Amino acid sequence: MSYHTFGREAVNERYIRPEKSNEVHKFIAQDAETLQENLEQNVIKLAEENPQIQFYLFLTPYSIYYWDSLMQNGNLEKQLEAEKMAIEIILEYENIHLYSFFDEFEMICNMDNYMDILHYSEDVNSQILIWMNQKEHLLTKENYQEYCNKIYEFYINFDYDSMFTSR
């Protein structure tokens, strides 16, 4: 961590905000097929071949700037739909435990946690391990729908432009 600079200034130096797309890209059947094949090849096959092993996966908490790039490119809804589908597929396997931290909005919106739009500090990484150890943010068949609705509402309605008005 000492080799990197974190914070809004560091992120702003590395982030070139895309122009706003007039098109909203939809999650289509071909996307679903690609996602299914990717998960089967890289996750599901391994879990099925090793039912005695418990797998612990998590969706990386990218910064709010990442979500801004998706919104600007017209891919935000598509990404959220893809993630929901991936969650539904993964939750069918009892030996895969899936965590997601996209609902840690305060953390994701705090640029002090990031060196660029994707890479977070070791403090965030340590917190993720604590949460996983305590089974916090574990997605289940019972809670994933509420979780998906919560993150959809937040990221679709977030005022991304406000992050750039004082730049």
Side-chain angles (χ1 to χ4, degrees), residues 8-19 63-73 111 115-118 160 163-164 167:
R8 183 171 300 279
E9 191 174 309
V11 175
N12 283 339
E13 286 177 14
R14 293 177 180 96
Y15 182 62
I16 299 171
R17 192 176 195 209
E19 290 293 320
S63 78
I64 194 66
Y65 278 54
Y66 167 78
W67 298 97
D68 175 68
S69 70
L70 291 174
M71 177 63 93
Q72 290 295 105
N73 289 324
M111 289 302 97
M115 62 180 264
D116 57 33
I117 71 171
L118 303 176
Y160 296 97
M163 299 187 312
F164 303 97
R167 256 175 116 175

PDB file of all heavy atoms in Angstrom, residues 8-19 63-73 111 115-118 160 163-164 167:
ATOM      1  N   ARG A   8      -9.261  10.839  -3.652  1.00  0.00           N
ATOM      2  CA  ARG A   8      -9.972  11.422  -4.794  1.00  0.00           C
ATOM      3  C   ARG A   8      -9.003  11.983  -5.835  1.00  0.00           C
ATOM      4  O   ARG A   8      -9.182  11.784  -7.035  1.00  0.00           O
ATOM      5  CB  ARG A   8     -10.949  12.506  -4.338  1.00  0.00           C
ATOM      6  CG  ARG A   8     -11.763  13.089  -5.482  1.00  0.00           C
ATOM      7  CD  ARG A   8     -12.878  14.003  -5.029  1.00  0.00           C
ATOM      8  NE  ARG A   8     -13.838  13.343  -4.178  1.00  0.00           N
ATOM      9  CZ  ARG A   8     -14.849  12.565  -4.612  1.00  0.00           C
ATOM     10  NH1 ARG A   8     -14.989  12.330  -5.897  1.00  0.00           N
ATOM     11  NH2 ARG A   8     -15.683  12.006  -3.772  1.00  0.00           N
ATOM     12  N   GLU A   9      -7.970  12.668  -5.378  1.00  0.00           N
ATOM     13  CA  GLU A   9      -7.019  13.259  -6.319  1.00  0.00           C
ATOM     14  C   GLU A   9      -6.327  12.180  -7.158  1.00  0.00           C
ATOM     15  O   GLU A   9      -6.182  12.316  -8.373  1.00  0.00           O
ATOM     16  CB  GLU A   9      -5.984  14.092  -5.570  1.00  0.00           C
ATOM     17  CG  GLU A   9      -5.122  14.939  -6.470  1.00  0.00           C
ATOM     18  CD  GLU A   9      -4.216  15.865  -5.678  1.00  0.00           C
ATOM     19  OE1 GLU A   9      -4.705  16.585  -4.795  1.00  0.00           O
ATOM     20  OE2 GLU A   9      -3.004  15.846  -5.978  1.00  0.00           O
ATOM     21  N   ALA A  10      -5.904  11.111  -6.507  1.00  0.00           N
ATOM     22  CA  ALA A  10      -5.250  10.009  -7.215  1.00  0.00           C
ATOM     23  C   ALA A  10      -6.203   9.365  -8.217  1.00  0.00           C
ATOM     24  O   ALA A  10      -5.817   9.055  -9.353  1.00  0.00           O
ATOM     25  CB  ALA A  10      -4.734   8.968  -6.230  1.00  0.00           C
ATOM     26  N   VAL A  11      -7.450   9.162  -7.813  1.00  0.00           N
ATOM     27  CA  VAL A  11      -8.439   8.552  -8.705  1.00  0.00           C
ATOM     28  C   VAL A  11      -8.726   9.490  -9.874  1.00  0.00           C
ATOM     29  O   VAL A  11      -8.762   9.059 -11.033  1.00  0.00           O
ATOM     30  CB  VAL A  11      -9.729   8.187  -7.945  1.00  0.00           C
ATOM     31  CG1 VAL A  11     -10.798   7.667  -8.903  1.00  0.00           C
ATOM     32  CG2 VAL A  11      -9.450   7.164  -6.854  1.00  0.00           C
ATOM     33  N   ASN A  12      -8.899  10.781  -9.580  1.00  0.00           N
ATOM     34  CA  ASN A  12      -9.171  11.756 -10.638  1.00  0.00           C
ATOM     35  C   ASN A  12      -8.042  11.819 -11.670  1.00  0.00           C
ATOM     36  O   ASN A  12      -8.296  12.038 -12.853  1.00  0.00           O
ATOM     37  CB  ASN A  12      -9.414  13.147 -10.058  1.00  0.00           C
ATOM     38  CG  ASN A  12     -10.794  13.284  -9.449  1.00  0.00           C
ATOM     39  OD1 ASN A  12     -11.709  12.527  -9.763  1.00  0.00           O
ATOM     40  ND2 ASN A  12     -10.940  14.247  -8.558  1.00  0.00           N
ATOM     41  N   GLU A  13      -6.810  11.635 -11.232  1.00  0.00           N
ATOM     42  CA  GLU A  13      -5.675  11.643 -12.161  1.00  0.00           C
ATOM     43  C   GLU A  13      -5.731  10.465 -13.132  1.00  0.00           C
ATOM     44  O   GLU A  13      -5.249  10.572 -14.253  1.00  0.00           O
ATOM     45  CB  GLU A  13      -4.355  11.590 -11.388  1.00  0.00           C
ATOM     46  CG  GLU A  13      -3.988  12.886 -10.715  1.00  0.00           C
ATOM     47  CD  GLU A  13      -2.705  12.777  -9.902  1.00  0.00           C
ATOM     48  OE1 GLU A  13      -1.962  11.780 -10.063  1.00  0.00           O
ATOM     49  OE2 GLU A  13      -2.461  13.689  -9.101  1.00  0.00           O
ATOM     50  N   ARG A  14      -6.317   9.376 -12.711  1.00  0.00           N
ATOM     51  CA  ARG A  14      -6.336   8.167 -13.535  1.00  0.00           C
ATOM     52  C   ARG A  14      -7.654   7.955 -14.285  1.00  0.00           C
ATOM     53  O   ARG A  14      -7.731   7.125 -15.183  1.00  0.00           O
ATOM     54  CB  ARG A  14      -6.076   6.942 -12.654  1.00  0.00           C
ATOM     55  CG  ARG A  14      -4.681   6.914 -12.077  1.00  0.00           C
ATOM     56  CD  ARG A  14      -4.511   5.711 -11.153  1.00  0.00           C
ATOM     57  NE  ARG A  14      -3.186   5.664 -10.590  1.00  0.00           N
ATOM     58  CZ  ARG A  14      -2.863   6.149  -9.404  1.00  0.00           C
ATOM     59  NH1 ARG A  14      -3.778   6.731  -8.648  1.00  0.00           N
ATOM     60  NH2 ARG A  14      -1.629   6.055  -8.954  1.00  0.00           N
ATOM     61  N   TYR A  15      -8.680   8.683 -13.886  1.00  0.00           N
ATOM     62  CA  TYR A  15     -10.000   8.442 -14.457  1.00  0.00           C
ATOM     63  C   TYR A  15     -10.326   9.500 -15.504  1.00  0.00           C
ATOM     64  O   TYR A  15     -10.342  10.693 -15.218  1.00  0.00           O
ATOM     65  CB  TYR A  15     -11.065   8.457 -13.356  1.00  0.00           C
ATOM     66  CG  TYR A  15     -12.466   8.163 -13.845  1.00  0.00           C
ATOM     67  CD1 TYR A  15     -12.775   6.947 -14.428  1.00  0.00           C
ATOM     68  CD2 TYR A  15     -13.489   9.095 -13.708  1.00  0.00           C
ATOM     69  CE1 TYR A  15     -14.056   6.662 -14.873  1.00  0.00           C
ATOM     70  CE2 TYR A  15     -14.776   8.818 -14.142  1.00  0.00           C
ATOM     71  CZ  TYR A  15     -15.055   7.606 -14.728  1.00  0.00           C
ATOM     72  OH  TYR A  15     -16.333   7.319 -15.162  1.00  0.00           O
ATOM     73  N   ILE A  16     -10.584   9.040 -16.704  1.00  0.00           N
ATOM     74  CA  ILE A  16     -11.075   9.917 -17.761  1.00  0.00           C
ATOM     75  C   ILE A  16     -12.539   9.549 -17.958  1.00  0.00           C
ATOM     76  O   ILE A  16     -12.867   8.457 -18.425  1.00  0.00           O
ATOM     77  CB  ILE A  16     -10.273   9.724 -19.063  1.00  0.00           C
ATOM     78  CG1 ILE A  16      -8.804  10.083 -18.819  1.00  0.00           C
ATOM     79  CG2 ILE A  16     -10.879  10.561 -20.184  1.00  0.00           C
ATOM     80  CD1 ILE A  16      -7.882   9.721 -19.957  1.00  0.00           C
ATOM     81  N   ARG A  17     -13.389  10.453 -17.559  1.00  0.00           N
ATOM     82  CA  ARG A  17     -14.824  10.174 -17.607  1.00  0.00           C
ATOM     83  C   ARG A  17     -15.301  10.076 -19.052  1.00  0.00           C
ATOM     84  O   ARG A  17     -15.094  10.989 -19.847  1.00  0.00           O
ATOM     85  CB  ARG A  17     -15.589  11.273 -16.879  1.00  0.00           C
ATOM     86  CG  ARG A  17     -17.035  10.921 -16.644  1.00  0.00           C
ATOM     87  CD  ARG A  17     -17.752  11.978 -15.847  1.00  0.00           C
ATOM     88  NE  ARG A  17     -19.002  11.453 -15.338  1.00  0.00           N
ATOM     89  CZ  ARG A  17     -20.062  12.201 -15.100  1.00  0.00           C
ATOM     90  NH1 ARG A  17     -20.020  13.503 -15.290  1.00  0.00           N
ATOM     91  NH2 ARG A  17     -21.164  11.640 -14.638  1.00  0.00           N
ATOM     92  N   PRO A  18     -15.938   8.963 -19.381  1.00  0.00           N
ATOM     93  CA  PRO A  18     -16.457   8.816 -20.751  1.00  0.00           C
ATOM     94  C   PRO A  18     -17.575   9.817 -21.031  1.00  0.00           C
ATOM     95  O   PRO A  18     -18.268  10.270 -20.116  1.00  0.00           O
ATOM     96  CB  PRO A  18     -17.019   7.385 -20.775  1.00  0.00           C
ATOM     97  CG  PRO A  18     -16.501   6.716 -19.560  1.00  0.00           C
ATOM     98  CD  PRO A  18     -16.193   7.791 -18.563  1.00  0.00           C
ATOM     99  N   GLU A  19     -17.722  10.135 -22.288  1.00  0.00           N
ATOM    100  CA  GLU A  19     -18.866  10.949 -22.700  1.00  0.00           C
ATOM    101  C   GLU A  19     -20.145  10.172 -22.401  1.00  0.00           C
ATOM    102  O   GLU A  19     -20.161   8.947 -22.470  1.00  0.00           O
ATOM    103  CB  GLU A  19     -18.790  11.271 -24.192  1.00  0.00           C
ATOM    104  CG  GLU A  19     -17.685  12.227 -24.558  1.00  0.00           C
ATOM    105  CD  GLU A  19     -17.889  13.617 -24.002  1.00  0.00           C
ATOM    106  OE1 GLU A  19     -19.043  14.110 -24.000  1.00  0.00           O
ATOM    107  OE2 GLU A  19     -16.892  14.216 -23.550  1.00  0.00           O
ATOM    108  N   SER A  63     -15.089   1.136  -6.940  1.00  0.00           N
ATOM    109  CA  SER A  63     -15.453   2.477  -6.490  1.00  0.00           C
ATOM    110  C   SER A  63     -16.666   3.024  -7.246  1.00  0.00           C
ATOM    111  O   SER A  63     -17.050   2.510  -8.299  1.00  0.00           O
ATOM    112  CB  SER A  63     -14.281   3.436  -6.683  1.00  0.00           C
ATOM    113  OG  SER A  63     -14.171   3.825  -8.038  1.00  0.00           O
ATOM    114  N   ILE A  64     -17.214   4.095  -6.725  1.00  0.00           N
ATOM    115  CA  ILE A  64     -18.356   4.750  -7.361  1.00  0.00           C
ATOM    116  C   ILE A  64     -17.975   5.259  -8.750  1.00  0.00           C
ATOM    117  O   ILE A  64     -18.827   5.356  -9.629  1.00  0.00           O
ATOM    118  CB  ILE A  64     -18.919   5.883  -6.464  1.00  0.00           C
ATOM    119  CG1 ILE A  64     -20.298   6.334  -6.942  1.00  0.00           C
ATOM    120  CG2 ILE A  64     -17.947   7.044  -6.355  1.00  0.00           C
ATOM    121  CD1 ILE A  64     -21.384   5.287  -6.803  1.00  0.00           C
ATOM    122  N   TYR A  65     -16.694   5.511  -8.979  1.00  0.00           N
ATOM    123  CA  TYR A  65     -16.254   5.938 -10.316  1.00  0.00           C
ATOM    124  C   TYR A  65     -16.451   4.813 -11.336  1.00  0.00           C
ATOM    125  O   TYR A  65     -16.747   5.081 -12.501  1.00  0.00           O
ATOM    126  CB  TYR A  65     -14.783   6.337 -10.290  1.00  0.00           C
ATOM    127  CG  TYR A  65     -14.530   7.740  -9.798  1.00  0.00           C
ATOM    128  CD1 TYR A  65     -15.008   8.186  -8.576  1.00  0.00           C
ATOM    129  CD2 TYR A  65     -13.769   8.616 -10.557  1.00  0.00           C
ATOM    130  CE1 TYR A  65     -14.737   9.457  -8.119  1.00  0.00           C
ATOM    131  CE2 TYR A  65     -13.490   9.901 -10.108  1.00  0.00           C
ATOM    132  CZ  TYR A  65     -13.992  10.315  -8.884  1.00  0.00           C
ATOM    133  OH  TYR A  65     -13.729  11.577  -8.441  1.00  0.00           O
ATOM    134  N   TYR A  66     -16.273   3.579 -10.922  1.00  0.00           N
ATOM    135  CA  TYR A  66     -16.535   2.436 -11.806  1.00  0.00           C
ATOM    136  C   TYR A  66     -18.007   2.453 -12.231  1.00  0.00           C
ATOM    137  O   TYR A  66     -18.326   2.289 -13.417  1.00  0.00           O
ATOM    138  CB  TYR A  66     -16.198   1.129 -11.092  1.00  0.00           C
ATOM    139  CG  TYR A  66     -16.724  -0.105 -11.792  1.00  0.00           C
ATOM    140  CD1 TYR A  66     -16.080  -0.621 -12.905  1.00  0.00           C
ATOM    141  CD2 TYR A  66     -17.866  -0.761 -11.326  1.00  0.00           C
ATOM    142  CE1 TYR A  66     -16.560  -1.753 -13.549  1.00  0.00           C
ATOM    143  CE2 TYR A  66     -18.348  -1.884 -11.963  1.00  0.00           C
ATOM    144  CZ  TYR A  66     -17.696  -2.380 -13.065  1.00  0.00           C
ATOM    145  OH  TYR A  66     -18.188  -3.495 -13.700  1.00  0.00           O
ATOM    146  N   TRP A  67     -18.871   2.662 -11.257  1.00  0.00           N
ATOM    147  CA  TRP A  67     -20.306   2.696 -11.545  1.00  0.00           C
ATOM    148  C   TRP A  67     -20.639   3.889 -12.446  1.00  0.00           C
ATOM    149  O   TRP A  67     -21.508   3.806 -13.308  1.00  0.00           O
ATOM    150  CB  TRP A  67     -21.096   2.717 -10.240  1.00  0.00           C
ATOM    151  CG  TRP A  67     -20.854   1.481  -9.444  1.00  0.00           C
ATOM    152  CD1 TRP A  67     -19.975   1.328  -8.411  1.00  0.00           C
ATOM    153  CD2 TRP A  67     -21.455   0.202  -9.630  1.00  0.00           C
ATOM    154  NE1 TRP A  67     -19.999   0.031  -7.952  1.00  0.00           N
ATOM    155  CE2 TRP A  67     -20.905  -0.681  -8.680  1.00  0.00           C
ATOM    156  CE3 TRP A  67     -22.413  -0.288 -10.514  1.00  0.00           C
ATOM    157  CZ2 TRP A  67     -21.279  -2.016  -8.593  1.00  0.00           C
ATOM    158  CZ3 TRP A  67     -22.788  -1.628 -10.422  1.00  0.00           C
ATOM    159  CH2 TRP A  67     -22.218  -2.458  -9.471  1.00  0.00           C
ATOM    160  N   ASP A  68     -19.942   5.004 -12.250  1.00  0.00           N
ATOM    161  CA  ASP A  68     -20.112   6.161 -13.123  1.00  0.00           C
ATOM    162  C   ASP A  68     -19.750   5.788 -14.561  1.00  0.00           C
ATOM    163  O   ASP A  68     -20.469   6.148 -15.493  1.00  0.00           O
ATOM    164  CB  ASP A  68     -19.227   7.331 -12.654  1.00  0.00           C
ATOM    165  CG  ASP A  68     -19.284   8.498 -13.615  1.00  0.00           C
ATOM    166  OD1 ASP A  68     -20.349   9.139 -13.725  1.00  0.00           O
ATOM    167  OD2 ASP A  68     -18.261   8.754 -14.293  1.00  0.00           O
ATOM    168  N   SER A  69     -18.640   5.076 -14.747  1.00  0.00           N
ATOM    169  CA  SER A  69     -18.234   4.701 -16.107  1.00  0.00           C
ATOM    170  C   SER A  69     -19.302   3.835 -16.768  1.00  0.00           C
ATOM    171  O   SER A  69     -19.578   3.990 -17.966  1.00  0.00           O
ATOM    172  CB  SER A  69     -16.874   4.004 -16.102  1.00  0.00           C
ATOM    173  OG  SER A  69     -16.936   2.731 -15.521  1.00  0.00           O
ATOM    174  N   LEU A  70     -19.901   2.938 -16.002  1.00  0.00           N
ATOM    175  CA  LEU A  70     -20.983   2.110 -16.545  1.00  0.00           C
ATOM    176  C   LEU A  70     -22.189   2.966 -16.926  1.00  0.00           C
ATOM    177  O   LEU A  70     -22.796   2.760 -17.990  1.00  0.00           O
ATOM    178  CB  LEU A  70     -21.406   1.046 -15.531  1.00  0.00           C
ATOM    179  CG  LEU A  70     -20.403  -0.059 -15.242  1.00  0.00           C
ATOM    180  CD1 LEU A  70     -20.909  -0.944 -14.103  1.00  0.00           C
ATOM    181  CD2 LEU A  70     -20.123  -0.897 -16.484  1.00  0.00           C
ATOM    182  N   MET A  71     -22.533   3.930 -16.063  1.00  0.00           N
ATOM    183  CA  MET A  71     -23.664   4.816 -16.345  1.00  0.00           C
ATOM    184  C   MET A  71     -23.376   5.647 -17.587  1.00  0.00           C
ATOM    185  O   MET A  71     -24.218   5.750 -18.487  1.00  0.00           O
ATOM    186  CB  MET A  71     -23.940   5.724 -15.151  1.00  0.00           C
ATOM    187  CG  MET A  71     -25.059   6.723 -15.382  1.00  0.00           C
ATOM    188  SD  MET A  71     -26.667   5.947 -15.672  1.00  0.00           S
ATOM    189  CE  MET A  71     -27.309   5.916 -14.010  1.00  0.00           C
ATOM    190  N   GLN A  72     -22.183   6.208 -17.664  1.00  0.00           N
ATOM    191  CA  GLN A  72     -21.820   7.051 -18.804  1.00  0.00           C
ATOM    192  C   GLN A  72     -21.840   6.264 -20.114  1.00  0.00           C
ATOM    193  O   GLN A  72     -22.235   6.792 -21.144  1.00  0.00           O
ATOM    194  CB  GLN A  72     -20.435   7.669 -18.587  1.00  0.00           C
ATOM    195  CG  GLN A  72     -20.378   8.728 -17.496  1.00  0.00           C
ATOM    196  CD  GLN A  72     -21.190   9.944 -17.821  1.00  0.00           C
ATOM    197  OE1 GLN A  72     -22.269  10.143 -17.277  1.00  0.00           O
ATOM    198  NE2 GLN A  72     -20.707  10.764 -18.731  1.00  0.00           N
ATOM    199  N   ASN A  73     -21.400   5.012 -20.080  1.00  0.00           N
ATOM    200  CA  ASN A  73     -21.336   4.174 -21.281  1.00  0.00           C
ATOM    201  C   ASN A  73     -22.668   3.517 -21.639  1.00  0.00           C
ATOM    202  O   ASN A  73     -22.760   2.807 -22.632  1.00  0.00           O
ATOM    203  CB  ASN A  73     -20.274   3.084 -21.121  1.00  0.00           C
ATOM    204  CG  ASN A  73     -18.871   3.648 -21.168  1.00  0.00           C
ATOM    205  OD1 ASN A  73     -18.605   4.585 -21.905  1.00  0.00           O
ATOM    206  ND2 ASN A  73     -17.973   3.086 -20.386  1.00  0.00           N
ATOM    207  N   MET A 111     -13.478   7.940  -1.710  1.00  0.00           N
ATOM    208  CA  MET A 111     -12.327   7.770  -2.602  1.00  0.00           C
ATOM    209  C   MET A 111     -11.019   7.588  -1.839  1.00  0.00           C
ATOM    210  O   MET A 111     -10.023   7.158  -2.424  1.00  0.00           O
ATOM    211  CB  MET A 111     -12.214   8.955  -3.561  1.00  0.00           C
ATOM    212  CG  MET A 111     -13.293   8.989  -4.622  1.00  0.00           C
ATOM    213  SD  MET A 111     -13.336   7.491  -5.644  1.00  0.00           S
ATOM    214  CE  MET A 111     -14.622   6.570  -4.839  1.00  0.00           C
ATOM    215  N   MET A 115      -7.197   3.727  -5.158  1.00  0.00           N
ATOM    216  CA  MET A 115      -6.092   4.343  -5.896  1.00  0.00           C
ATOM    217  C   MET A 115      -6.488   4.603  -7.352  1.00  0.00           C
ATOM    218  O   MET A 115      -5.864   5.388  -8.041  1.00  0.00           O
ATOM    219  CB  MET A 115      -4.835   3.477  -5.844  1.00  0.00           C
ATOM    220  CG  MET A 115      -4.981   2.114  -6.462  1.00  0.00           C
ATOM    221  SD  MET A 115      -3.479   1.138  -6.362  1.00  0.00           S
ATOM    222  CE  MET A 115      -2.786   1.457  -7.969  1.00  0.00           C
ATOM    223  N   ASP A 116      -7.509   3.913  -7.816  1.00  0.00           N
ATOM    224  CA  ASP A 116      -8.101   4.121  -9.137  1.00  0.00           C
ATOM    225  C   ASP A 116      -9.538   3.618  -9.033  1.00  0.00           C
ATOM    226  O   ASP A 116     -10.010   3.335  -7.932  1.00  0.00           O
ATOM    227  CB  ASP A 116      -7.294   3.432 -10.247  1.00  0.00           C
ATOM    228  CG  ASP A 116      -7.106   1.938 -10.038  1.00  0.00           C
ATOM    229  OD1 ASP A 116      -8.010   1.278  -9.475  1.00  0.00           O
ATOM    230  OD2 ASP A 116      -6.056   1.414 -10.440  1.00  0.00           O
ATOM    231  N   ILE A 117     -10.212   3.468 -10.144  1.00  0.00           N
ATOM    232  CA  ILE A 117     -11.636   3.121 -10.042  1.00  0.00           C
ATOM    233  C   ILE A 117     -11.883   1.699  -9.576  1.00  0.00           C
ATOM    234  O   ILE A 117     -12.985   1.378  -9.127  1.00  0.00           O
ATOM    235  CB  ILE A 117     -12.399   3.407 -11.354  1.00  0.00           C
ATOM    236  CG1 ILE A 117     -12.043   2.437 -12.465  1.00  0.00           C
ATOM    237  CG2 ILE A 117     -12.208   4.837 -11.795  1.00  0.00           C
ATOM    238  CD1 ILE A 117     -12.927   2.549 -13.698  1.00  0.00           C
ATOM    239  N   LEU A 118     -10.854   0.847  -9.635  1.00  0.00           N
ATOM    240  CA  LEU A 118     -11.035  -0.562  -9.306  1.00  0.00           C
ATOM    241  C   LEU A 118     -10.305  -1.021  -8.051  1.00  0.00           C
ATOM    242  O   LEU A 118     -10.791  -1.893  -7.333  1.00  0.00           O
ATOM    243  CB  LEU A 118     -10.558  -1.448 -10.476  1.00  0.00           C
ATOM    244  CG  LEU A 118     -11.202  -1.201 -11.830  1.00  0.00           C
ATOM    245  CD1 LEU A 118     -10.546  -2.080 -12.887  1.00  0.00           C
ATOM    246  CD2 LEU A 118     -12.688  -1.434 -11.779  1.00  0.00           C
ATOM    247  N   TYR A 160     -24.293  10.945 -10.173  1.00  0.00           N
ATOM    248  CA  TYR A 160     -22.891  10.834 -10.575  1.00  0.00           C
ATOM    249  C   TYR A 160     -22.295  12.179 -10.958  1.00  0.00           C
ATOM    250  O   TYR A 160     -21.133  12.456 -10.667  1.00  0.00           O
ATOM    251  CB  TYR A 160     -22.743   9.837 -11.737  1.00  0.00           C
ATOM    252  CG  TYR A 160     -23.136   8.434 -11.357  1.00  0.00           C
ATOM    253  CD1 TYR A 160     -24.415   7.946 -11.639  1.00  0.00           C
ATOM    254  CD2 TYR A 160     -22.243   7.595 -10.716  1.00  0.00           C
ATOM    255  CE1 TYR A 160     -24.785   6.664 -11.283  1.00  0.00           C
ATOM    256  CE2 TYR A 160     -22.596   6.295 -10.345  1.00  0.00           C
ATOM    257  CZ  TYR A 160     -23.883   5.851 -10.646  1.00  0.00           C
ATOM    258  OH  TYR A 160     -24.240   4.576 -10.285  1.00  0.00           O
ATOM    259  N   MET A 163     -20.247  14.366  -8.516  1.00  0.00           N
ATOM    260  CA  MET A 163     -18.859  14.053  -8.185  1.00  0.00           C
ATOM    261  C   MET A 163     -17.888  14.888  -9.006  1.00  0.00           C
ATOM    262  O   MET A 163     -16.718  14.990  -8.670  1.00  0.00           O
ATOM    263  CB  MET A 163     -18.563  12.566  -8.429  1.00  0.00           C
ATOM    264  CG  MET A 163     -19.395  11.623  -7.612  1.00  0.00           C
ATOM    265  SD  MET A 163     -18.887   9.892  -7.757  1.00  0.00           S
ATOM    266  CE  MET A 163     -18.713   9.621  -9.507  1.00  0.00           C
ATOM    267  N   PHE A 164     -18.365  15.453 -10.092  1.00  0.00           N
ATOM    268  CA  PHE A 164     -17.479  16.123 -11.035  1.00  0.00           C
ATOM    269  C   PHE A 164     -17.733  17.621 -11.149  1.00  0.00           C
ATOM    270  O   PHE A 164     -17.050  18.289 -11.911  1.00  0.00           O
ATOM    271  CB  PHE A 164     -17.606  15.462 -12.406  1.00  0.00           C
ATOM    272  CG  PHE A 164     -17.314  13.988 -12.349  1.00  0.00           C
ATOM    273  CD1 PHE A 164     -18.325  13.057 -12.250  1.00  0.00           C
ATOM    274  CD2 PHE A 164     -15.987  13.532 -12.347  1.00  0.00           C
ATOM    275  CE1 PHE A 164     -18.049  11.699 -12.167  1.00  0.00           C
ATOM    276  CE2 PHE A 164     -15.712  12.190 -12.265  1.00  0.00           C
ATOM    277  CZ  PHE A 164     -16.737  11.265 -12.170  1.00  0.00           C
ATOM    278  N   ARG A 167     -14.643  19.637  -9.821  1.00  0.00           N
ATOM    279  CA  ARG A 167     -13.341  19.192 -10.335  1.00  0.00           C
ATOM    280  C   ARG A 167     -12.567  20.290 -10.968  1.00  0.00           C
ATOM    281  O   ARG A 167     -12.989  21.187 -11.566  1.00  0.00           O
ATOM    282  CB  ARG A 167     -13.536  18.081 -11.364  1.00  0.00           C
ATOM    283  CG  ARG A 167     -13.211  16.735 -10.808  1.00  0.00           C
ATOM    284  CD  ARG A 167     -13.541  15.688 -11.810  1.00  0.00           C
ATOM    285  NE  ARG A 167     -12.306  15.007 -12.207  1.00  0.00           N
ATOM    286  CZ  ARG A 167     -12.264  13.987 -13.003  1.00  0.00           C
ATOM    287  NH1 ARG A 167     -13.343  13.527 -13.550  1.00  0.00           N
ATOM    288  NH2 ARG A 167     -11.148  13.402 -13.315  1.00  0.00           N
TER     289      ARG A 167
END
